[in-house]
């Protein structure tokens, strides 16, 4: 499936990238999306990104909620006029039969308070299941998009469940030799859910949040926006872990989100400046 | 006369915006026509996810020619005046028309082709369109000034009769081409005119008319439920939403695993509706939720929808599995333990955490019961317990996921964890009534908590000067006040607002005003360690004196401010009550007549008075008494006789005067007794006995007697009449 998507988007002019080697909550955090979405240059890329969402952990007991899963992300700047058709073509390419399935574009405005970003678009439903987030970015890091980029984020496990017609993500066939998704990931989900919710040391996490924030600022001072942005990603993930541990109050939550947003915005601003782009 | 068709085709328009978009399109179009002096015979608008369309019937081919006349100088005027006028109008002398010795410039403005008006109107409408949220897209978005639309705009069909109205906006040229259903008919279609638009699209699997789609969804969903031996739980909001999500709606019924019915039915219904836009069904005989759902597809699938139903079933199963995960997890934690977490939720920065609020509400709920305002005193423990648990579900997983289930989930958890039934019911229903038409609780424990919660919110925000102003009411204080009024009225509660709100107000004012004093104390404490030896006493003494002075000032301020706030709060309630009564159709002058008496705001008592007054004033006795009262009041006003002087009567009264005196002597105590017993009907009856003596008095007695003693005594008599009537209501406020 991933290969089919790589083929499809590569034929349509996308560079095929590899996953970013850091923990992040969504493919949008990949610098190839966040930073490359800024500025006037054309940019078309596709890649797989593992995502970690600690609060979505269900100890392996939910048929389709995971704290670690894979997204396939496509970013096209400027957004092409036939983006919806291109997207539907990609579904056909991975074997979705649109005469038997109900594909729908349901309003879902995307907003990432931690990236200072928002866009309008839809969640794409296949028979009632959200399989893709389809967004026209309007702002990133607090900057207006000039031009607007289109972003497609496929939920790979969910799509695979459709194509293989299974009810439970852990029953997905990982290969033709009898290895299932559960064989690969079930124990990981159990252990990581327990660590995220119960074990992770909160003092260490608080400390690591502070250090990432400080390191981000040092990197900004050294005019290294890419390095600074990596630290912003790190702070964001640490914040997600603290949330899962339930140690951040409602009032504090806003303050932490604001802190991560400031780091991400400053990284974006430094990236704009480095490239000589005006806001 | 010709018809005009406009279709604006875009990527999927959010369902919730379509109805307003149709209105806006009609409004903007009519306004553009009106500017050119045109109007259409009829305007019809349509919306689907992918198009917004308008058909205007019976437009003329051109606007009417207009003749404009400008008055100039007299024909006999000096040549300079004429020259000036010719310059201004750009005409020559021969072109002017002379009438009655005055020259006129007459210009004929020819009619404009309607087609031309339409070609200009289309881009103007698109640019001015007020989408709640709009976006930029594509190559043009390199500039932030590029065209904005709700989602990328792709095509414009503009046909006047059978002719294309040529126009262009942001590289989109108008034409006669549109597209059918995304999957059933992806190719282009050519529209001939407004007359074949709806039918041509229908042939291409697009039902343009949203009402037709809604009717299909409503009818077919209900029929599917019946075929399955069930009954559809109707939901008009869902019908409209699904109509906004489909161009060719196909309702399909599916089943989910009956094991999930262990989750509360409200949760199942909510997750099905909100997350998946599904209808749910009930068992027709028991009324219990059934394990069936109806989804609305946008396609006639080649397998009859089998795969679609199967897919939707899986999604719902995952949602329900999640709901059950939350439910089971929440059930394991006693609500009483959850309440500790409320300390971390800020209610308002100046009013502390939700835990602080819960503590205030618990005390107030107990007080309301112990004072006998609500229920019987033996319920006090239960009222307090319910109040202490009432907000605990805010920190449960389920309410975190579905905030609209607050209260309801707490009720389920409380019952499952063995709380008293009255306590569980109070936890469940204490937010009620949420709006007009919502159920008003009647169970005493619930009433106590519901009332305490709302009174606390209102009094707390008043205490920090955040009462609603004008149209701004960010904390929904007015709604809370209407909730209090409904609870009081429906349950006949004898609640004096001032008393019930005083402790909340006082505590808040003390805390607010006490802050500087406590800061002084802190400064004092901190500075002590900075000094050594004897000097420390002198410094400490001086600071303690300062602090004590501040505390003395504080005592005066606290009481003064608390009283002012409570008056303010009472006035606010009175105002809400008046508005509510007027909306309910009660005569506003009668309400004013009762409210004018002042006194405590006891809602039940005030409304009883208004009701009796309304009954009385409609009778002949009432109408005559009112007339007599007004005559007396007018004389008193004219004579500037404000109050009883108590002057002794040093003459023999005339018979009519004596009769009125006797009637008053009987009516005054009778009315007072009836008022004290809150029997306003009897009080009115007592007053009615004054009617004949008053009439007799005015017929045969001269108030304005030449003898000042008689005059004074008679004015006093009228003042007594006025005062007696005022024991029931200020008749001066009554109209007629």
């Amino acid at each position: 499936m991933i290969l089919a998507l790589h083929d499809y988007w590569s034929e349509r002019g996308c560079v095929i990238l590899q996953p970013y080697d850091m923990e992040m909550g969504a493919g949008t955090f990949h610098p190839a999306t966040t930073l490359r979405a800024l500025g006037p240059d054309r940019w078309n890329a596709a890649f797989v990104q593992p995502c970690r969402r600690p609060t979505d952990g269900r100890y392996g007991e939910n048929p389709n909620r995971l704290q670690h899963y894979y997204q396939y992300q496509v970013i096209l700047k400027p957004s092409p006029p036939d983006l919806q058709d291109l997207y539907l073509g990609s579904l056909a390419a991975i074997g979705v039969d649109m005469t038997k399935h109900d594909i729908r574009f349901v309003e879902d405005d995307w907003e990432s308070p931690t990236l200072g970003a928002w866009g309008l678009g839809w969640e794409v439903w296949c028979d009632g299941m959200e399989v893709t987030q389809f967004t026209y970015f309007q702002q990133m890091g607090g900057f207006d998009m000039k031009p607007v980029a289109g972003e497609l984020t496929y939920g790979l496990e969910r799509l695979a469940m459709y194509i293989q017609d299974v009810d439970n993500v852990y029953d997905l066939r990982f290969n033709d030799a009898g290895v299932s998704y559960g064989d690969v990931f079930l124990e990981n989900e159990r252990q990581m859910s327990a660590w995220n919710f119960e074990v992770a040391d909160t003092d260490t996490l608080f400390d690591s949040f502070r250090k990432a924030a400080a390191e981000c600022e040092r990197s900004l001072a050294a005019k290294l926006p890419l390095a600074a942005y990596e630290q912003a990603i790190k702070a964001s993930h640490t914040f997600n872990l603290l949330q899962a541990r339930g140690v951040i109050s409602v009032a504090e939550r806003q303050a932490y989100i604001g802190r991560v947003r400031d780091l991400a915005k400053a990284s974006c601003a430094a990236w704009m400046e480095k490239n000589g782009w005006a806001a | 006369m010709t018809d005009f068709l406009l279709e604006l085709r875009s990527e999927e328009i959010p369902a919730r915006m379509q109805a307003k978009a149709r209105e806006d399109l009609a409004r903007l179009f009519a306004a553009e026509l009106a500017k050119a002096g045109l109007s259409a015979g009829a305007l019809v608008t349509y919306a689907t996810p992918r198009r917004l369309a308008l058909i205007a019937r019976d437009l003329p081919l051109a606007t009417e020619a207009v003749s404009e006349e400008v008055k100039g100088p007299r024909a006999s005027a000096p040549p300079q005046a004429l020259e000036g006028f010719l310059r201004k109008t750009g005409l020559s002398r021969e072109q002017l028309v002379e009438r009655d010795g005055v020259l006129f410039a007459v210009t004929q403005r020819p009619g404009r082709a309607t087609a031309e008006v339409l070609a200009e109107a289309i881009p103007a409408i698109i640019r001015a369109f007020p989408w709640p949220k709009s976006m930029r897209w594509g190559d043009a978005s390199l500039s932030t000034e590029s065209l904005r639309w709700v989602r990328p705009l792709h095509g414009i069909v503009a046909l006047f009769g059978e002719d294309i109205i040529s126009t262009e906006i942001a590289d989109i040229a108008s034409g006669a081409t549109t597209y059918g259903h995304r999957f059933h008919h992806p190719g282009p279609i050519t529209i001939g005119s407004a007359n074949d638009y709806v039918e041509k699209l229908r042939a291409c699997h697009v039902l343009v008319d949203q009402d037709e789609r809604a009717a299909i969804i409503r009818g077919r969903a209900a029929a599917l439920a019946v075929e399955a031996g069930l009954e559809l739980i109707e939901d008009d909001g869902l019908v409209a939403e699904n109509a906004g999500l489909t161009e060719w709606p196909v309702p399909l019924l599916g089943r989910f695993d009956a094991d999930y019915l262990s989750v509360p039915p409200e949760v199942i219904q909510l997750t099905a509706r909100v997350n998946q836009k599904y209808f749910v069904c009930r068992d027709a005989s028991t009324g219990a939720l059934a394990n069936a759902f109806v989804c609305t597809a946008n396609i006639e699938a080649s397998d009859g929808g089998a795969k679609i139903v199967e897919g939707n079933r899986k999604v719902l199963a995952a949602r329900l599995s999640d709901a059950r995960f939350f439910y089971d997890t929440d059930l394991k934690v006693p609500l009483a333990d959850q309440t500790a977490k409320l300390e971390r939720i800020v209610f308002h920065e100046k009013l502390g955490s939700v835990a602080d609020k819960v503590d205030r509400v618990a005390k107030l709920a107990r007080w309301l019961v112990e004072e006998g305002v609500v229920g019987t005193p033996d319920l006090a423990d239960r009222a307090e317990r319910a109040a202490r648990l009432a907000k605990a579900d805010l920190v449960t997983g389920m309410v975190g996921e579905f905030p609209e289930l607050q209260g309801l989930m707490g009720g389920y958890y409380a019952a499952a964890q063995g709380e008293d039934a009255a306590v569980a019911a109070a936890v469940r229903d204490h937010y009620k009534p949420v709006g007009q038409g919502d159920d008003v609780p009647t169970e005493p424990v619930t009433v106590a908590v519901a009332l305490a919660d709302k009174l606390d919110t209102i009094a707390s925000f008043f205490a920090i000067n955040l009462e609603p102003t004008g149209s701004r009411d960010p904390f929904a204080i007015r709604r809370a006040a209407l909730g209090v009024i409904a609870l009081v009225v429906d349950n006949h509660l004898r609640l004096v607002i001032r008393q019930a709100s005083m402790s909340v107000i006082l505590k808040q004012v003390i805390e607010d005003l006490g802050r500087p004093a406590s800061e002084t104390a802190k400064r004092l404490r901190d500075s002590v360690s900075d000094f050594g030896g004897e000097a420390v006493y002198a410094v400490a003494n001086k600071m303690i004196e300062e602090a004590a002075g501040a505390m003395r000032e504080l005592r005066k301020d606290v009481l003064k401010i608390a009283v002012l706030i409570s008056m303010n709060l009472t006035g606010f309630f009175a105002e809400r009550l008046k508005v509510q009564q007027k909306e309910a159709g009660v005569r506003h002058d009668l309400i004013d007549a009762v409210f004018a008496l002042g006194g405590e705001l006891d809602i039940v008592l005030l409304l009883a008075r208004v009701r009796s007054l309304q009954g009385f004033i409609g009778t002949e006795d009432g109408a005559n008494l009112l007339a007599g009262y007004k005559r007396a009041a007018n004389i008193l006003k004219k004579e500037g006789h404000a109050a009883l002087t108590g002057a002794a009567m040093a003459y023999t009264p005339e018979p009519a005067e004596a009769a009125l005196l006797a009637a008053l002597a009987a009516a005054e105590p009778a009315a007072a007794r009836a008022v004290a017993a809150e029997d306003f009907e009897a009080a009115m009856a007592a007053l009615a006995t004054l009617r004949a003596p008053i009439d007799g008095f005015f017929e045969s007695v001269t108030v304005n007697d030449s003898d000042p003693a008689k005059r004074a005594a008679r004015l006093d008599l009228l003042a007594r009449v006025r005062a007696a009537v005022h024991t029931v209501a200020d008749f001066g406020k009554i109209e007629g």
Side-chain angles (χ1 to χ4, degrees), chain B residues 141-164:
Chain B
S141 62
L142 202 50
S143 157
T144 50
E145 301 303 308
S146 64
L147 179 67
R148 305 184 74 94
W149 197 244
V150 62
R151 291 293 184 275
L153 182 66
H154 285 300
I156 301 172
V157 173
L159 292 170
F160 188 45
E162 293 177 0
D163 300 330
I164 293 173

Side-chain angles (χ1 to χ4, degrees), chain B residues 87-149:
Chain B
R87 244 195 332 272
K88 198 175 97 191
T89 54
L91 300 174
S92 63
R93 172 67 185 82
E94 294 71 43
Q95 289 169 303
L96 299 184
V97 180
E98 187 180 332
R99 207 164 59 229
D100 300 333
V102 180
L103 294 170
F104 288 88
V106 178
T107 40
Q108 296 291 339
R109 270 210 317 185
R112 280 180 77 202
T114 300
E116 201 181 298
V117 173
L118 291 170
E120 285 170 16
I122 297 165
I125 292 168
I126 293 174
R127 286 214 172 78
F129 213 86
W131 291 109
K133 272 186 187 172
S134 63
M135 57 168 280
R136 300 176 297 118
W137 66 91
D139 291 340
S141 62
L142 202 50
S143 157
T144 50
E145 301 303 308
S146 64
L147 179 67
R148 305 184 74 94
W149 197 244

Side-chain angles (χ1 to χ4, degrees), chain B residues 154-189:
Chain B
H154 285 300
I156 301 172
V157 173
L159 292 170
F160 188 45
E162 293 177 0
D163 300 330
I164 293 173
I165 298 291
S166 270
T167 186
E168 195 179 301
I169 184 166
D171 290 334
I172 304 161
S174 60
T177 305
T178 187
Y179 288 78
H181 188 278
R182 195 188 276 292
F183 302 109
H184 281 303
H185 197 104
I189 319 163

Side-chain angles (χ1 to χ4, degrees), chain B residues 459-478:
Chain B
S460 298
F461 282 107
F462 264 79
I464 57 170
N465 295 320
L466 284 177
E467 63 264 32
T469 50
S471 61
R472 278 185 51 78
D473 184 10
F475 306 107
I477 307 291
R478 291 198 182 103

Side-chain angles (χ1 to χ4, degrees), chain B residues 9 57 65 132 209 228 337 352 394 440 472 481 496 587 589 627 644 674:
Chain B
R9 186 172 48 83
R57 301 282 177 199
D209 186 342
D337 293 359
L394 293 178
V440 179
R472 278 185 51 78
V496 177
R587 268 174 60 178
D589 56 331
L644 277 172

Side-chain angles (χ1 to χ4, degrees), chain B residues 334-491:
Chain B
L335 279 183
D337 293 359
Q338 301 276 31
T339 55
K341 296 183 200 152
L342 296 174
E343 282 165 25
R344 297 201 308 235
I345 306 180
V346 178
F347 175 62
H348 182 276
E349 59 167 317
K350 288 180 96 176
L351 298 172
S353 67
V354 174
D356 294 327
K357 178 177 171 61
V358 164
D359 190 55
R360 292 194 302 266
V361 172
K363 286 175 182 154
L364 183 51
R366 171 174 275 281
W367 182 85
L368 287 169
V369 175
E370 283 178 343
E371 286 292 304
V373 175
V374 182
T376 46
D378 59 301
L379 297 174
D381 287 342
R382 271 177 270 183
E384 178 171 350
R385 175 79 180 161
R388 294 209 177 275
L389 299 179
K391 307 291 180 189
D393 67 355
L394 293 178
V395 294
T396 61
M398 189 71 93
V399 175
E401 193 75 1
F402 297 110
E404 55 271 65
L405 292 178
Q406 64 178 12
L408 185 80
M409 292 322 298
Y412 273 109
Y413 298 143
Q417 292 167 359
E419 294 291 339
D420 177 271
V423 170
V427 170
R428 184 186 65 217
D429 293 333
H430 80 280
Y431 290 103
K432 293 182 175 218
V434 173
Q436 276 186 333
D438 191 19
D439 293 339
V440 179
T442 53
E443 289 292 324
V445 177
T446 306
V447 172
V449 182
L451 201 55
D453 186 25
K454 292 171 182 63
L455 279 172
D456 174 75
T457 298
I458 300 166
S460 298
F461 282 107
F462 264 79
I464 57 170
N465 295 320
L466 284 177
E467 63 264 32
T469 50
S471 61
R472 278 185 51 78
D473 184 10
F475 306 107
I477 307 291
R478 291 198 182 103
R479 198 176 67 188
L482 285 177
V484 169
I485 292 171
L487 283 162
V488 165
V489 171
D490 283 26
N491 292 290

